[in-house]
Amino acid sequence: MNTEIITETTESKMQFILDEKGELQEISKDKCRVVEYPIKYKLKNAFEVFVRVDGTENYWISNYGRCVNNLNRKDKNTFYKHKEGKCHYTVFEIERYEVKNKKGKPTGEIAENRYKRETTPEDLVVDAFLAKYKGRFKVWHKDGDESNNWYKNLLTVTPDDYKNLKSGNITWQELNLEQEYIEYENKASLHAYKVYDSVLARCKSTEATDSIHKCYNKSSMWEVWLKNPKTFVKWYLEHYYECGDEEMDVDKDLFGDGSGMYHEDFCCILPKGLNTLLANAKKHYKEGETPDNVLPLGVSYNGKTGKYTSSIQFTGAEKPIPLSEWDTAEEAFEEYRVLKRADILIVAAKYKENIPDYIYDRLLKVEVKPY
């Protein structure tokens, strides 16, 4: 299946955005503006878009209220990130003009004036991402959190409406105001299709495939996703979340049935640190790499002593800790299992505030199995 063709034709017509409830919605790209001055800056998520602040040449604001600038950077591809939330900004607008001589004739030289502009993240977001309405120049945060400057959390109101909202005499819903939000082309679908291609490559892995790790030899993809990649893209974007600066992976095992299939009922999105922790350790064999000689997870056999042992490297530790020697593989695995499960529980607690509840709850129930 040529996924690249599907990606191109789909992306040229439609794109996914989040509606005011934070739910996935698909709209025509004809309704989205092109970003005229794009920058390369790490996005908060696949739906974030940075556009240049009107009247400036060195400032960009995102639809999540993040502001960056490259004003004093020698390398214009690096950026200073401003504070987020409820705060104050000073930006510099630039006006360029052609210098004229005393007789009023152009000299060919270009000069510039810089003007200070005092503003806030919410005002910049409103200017870039909210349609303008006569008399509505005050900004209301729908969720009551003035540090949340996501564009669809903002509503422009009149000064009188603002006073009534502040005093609690009325709710923003009761105002029944129309608010149009300006959409720009984002990279959400493009990012999701790249993930799809990566997952599909794993599922095409064979014993002879050098580029894909052997742990994917038995992986497969659900027929619905295989026949229609867009169904995967929709699933991915509906479940996607950020965990700091960590890379996010599609995992098929935490909720899986052991079949190795990438299926909407089995898959979840995990930060790479968690996904790596849950991945099975390298297989060991008692004698020769045959199915009959596979040892339990984490267990090794010492032919000289005739004993079974294991080692564990706790998350964040610099080196592994060698464990006890045992007469049987089952005994060695039991020691490894107890310590591996303890490591998973501790790491899960550290991630608790950054992962969905259903994933955290599942981590508390993870069983470390021998095979």
Side-chain angles (χ1 to χ4, degrees):
M1 177 175 290
N2 191 335
T3 58
E4 290 186 1
I5 294 177
I6 294 174
T7 299
E8 289 175 2
T9 56
T10 302
E11 280 297 286
S12 64
K13 297 178 181 179
M14 305 294 290
Q15 83 168 26
F16 285 105
I17 62 170
L18 296 179
D19 64 17
E20 294 177 46
K21 296 180 180 179
E23 296 177 355
L24 202 65
Q25 180 183 349
E26 192 174 22
I27 64 172
S28 170
K29 274 199 171 181
D30 292 339
K31 297 180 179 180
C32 303
R33 296 184 184 181
V34 176
V35 178
E36 294 185 5
Y37 304 98
I39 58 172
K40 291 183 178 180
Y41 189 79
K42 183 173 175 57
L43 301 178
K44 180 182 182 70
N45 58 43
F47 301 100
E48 186 173 33
V49 177
F50 278 91
V51 300
R52 197 163 79 173
V53 174
D54 189 36
T56 76
E57 293 186 1
N58 303 97
Y59 295 84
W60 283 261
I61 186 71
S62 87
N63 50 350
Y64 281 77
R66 298 202 302 162
C67 184
V68 298
N69 82 71
N70 62 4
L71 182 64
N72 296 315
R73 303 283 172 134
K74 291 182 179 179
D75 179 359
K76 293 303 180 182
N77 291 316
T78 62
F79 299 87
Y80 168 79
K81 185 170 79 71
H82 295 254
K83 290 181 180 180
E84 297 178 47
K86 186 178 181 180
C87 55
H88 173 269
Y89 292 159
T90 299
V91 302
F92 290 91
E93 297 182 351
I94 294 179
E95 180 187 50
R96 286 193 170 86
Y97 59 92
E98 191 173 26
V99 178
K100 297 180 180 180
N101 60 24
K102 293 181 179 179
K103 295 182 178 181
K105 294 183 178 181
T107 64
E109 296 181 17
I110 301 296
E112 66 178 42
N113 287 325
R114 287 190 181 186
Y115 302 96
K116 277 187 178 183
R117 175 179 163 191
E118 307 302 327
T119 186
T120 63
E122 64 185 48
D123 286 338
L124 294 182
V125 172
V126 167
D127 288 344
F129 298 99
L130 274 68
K132 307 300 185 292
Y133 298 91
K134 186 177 180 180
R136 290 165 53 179
F137 51 85
K138 296 289 288 184
V139 183
W140 184 255
H141 295 73
K142 295 178 183 177
D143 66 355
D145 180 1
E146 294 185 351
S147 67
N148 179 6
N149 291 312
W150 180 51
Y151 68 134
K152 289 182 178 174
N153 187 49
L154 305 182
L155 175 70
T156 57
V157 298
T158 67
D160 286 341
D161 287 339
Y162 186 83
K163 289 179 182 178
N164 286 324
L165 288 166
K166 269 289 192 182
S167 63
N169 293 331
I170 196 170
T171 66
W172 68 267
Q173 294 94 334
E174 291 172 328
L175 290 175
N176 199 28
L177 291 175
E178 177 186 357
Q179 180 65 69
E180 180 184 348
Y181 297 94
I182 300 169
E183 301 293 348
Y184 286 82
E185 291 185 3
N186 65 43
K187 297 182 179 180
S189 294
L190 179 62
H191 173 72
Y193 274 110
K194 286 182 178 179
V195 175
Y196 176 87
D197 289 341
S198 176
V199 171
L200 186 61
R202 298 173 201 168
C203 296
K204 290 181 177 179
S205 171
T206 66
E207 293 289 343
T209 303
D210 294 330
S211 60
I212 306 295
H213 197 278
K214 285 185 178 181
C215 65
Y216 294 115
N217 287 344
K218 296 181 180 180
S219 297
S220 62
M221 182 178 281
W222 184 32
E223 187 177 3
V224 174
W225 284 354
L226 194 61
K227 289 183 176 180
N228 187 357
K230 189 175 180 180
T231 57
F232 171 87
V233 168
K234 188 172 185 295
W235 171 87
Y236 182 82
L237 294 176
E238 285 176 339
H239 291 81
Y240 188 78
Y241 63 97
E242 289 286 323
C243 190
D245 293 329
E246 277 198 66
E247 183 179 342
M248 306 301 286
D249 294 336
V250 176
D251 173 78
K252 61 179 172 24
D253 300 314
L254 181 60
F255 292 91
D257 62 353
S259 65
M261 178 179 286
Y262 285 91
H263 187 288
E264 68 173 5
D265 292 338
F266 305 151
C267 286
C268 67
I269 298 174
L270 295 176
K272 183 169 286 294
L274 263 179
N275 196 34
T276 301
L277 173 66
L278 296 173
N280 285 343
K282 180 181 178 181
K283 286 184 179 178
H284 292 101
Y285 301 83
K286 183 175 180 180
E287 295 174 348
E289 293 191 16
T290 65
D292 295 335
N293 290 325
V294 177
L295 292 171
L297 177 68
V299 176
S300 300
Y301 176 72
N302 189 327
K304 294 182 180 180
T305 63
K307 298 287 187 178
Y308 296 88
T309 187
S310 61
S311 64
I312 186 166
Q313 184 166 351
F314 292 109
T315 302
E318 293 184 359
K319 58 183 181 180
I321 300 172
L323 303 180
S324 309
E325 290 189 332
W326 299 90
D327 292 329
T328 67
E330 290 72 21
E331 290 173 309
F333 170 72
E334 180 59 20
E335 181 183 17
Y336 174 84
R337 183 192 70 80
V338 171
L339 295 173
K340 179 69 173 180
R341 178 159 166 73
D343 192 27
I344 292 172
L345 293 175
I346 291 171
V347 174
K350 293 179 180 179
Y351 275 97
K352 186 178 187 304
E353 298 302 318
N354 296 306
I355 59 177
D357 289 342
Y358 76 95
I359 291 179
Y360 175 74
D361 292 342
R362 183 71 173 187
L363 289 170
L364 298 184
K365 301 172 184 176
V366 167
E367 292 295 333
V368 181
K369 300 179 179 180
Y371 301 102

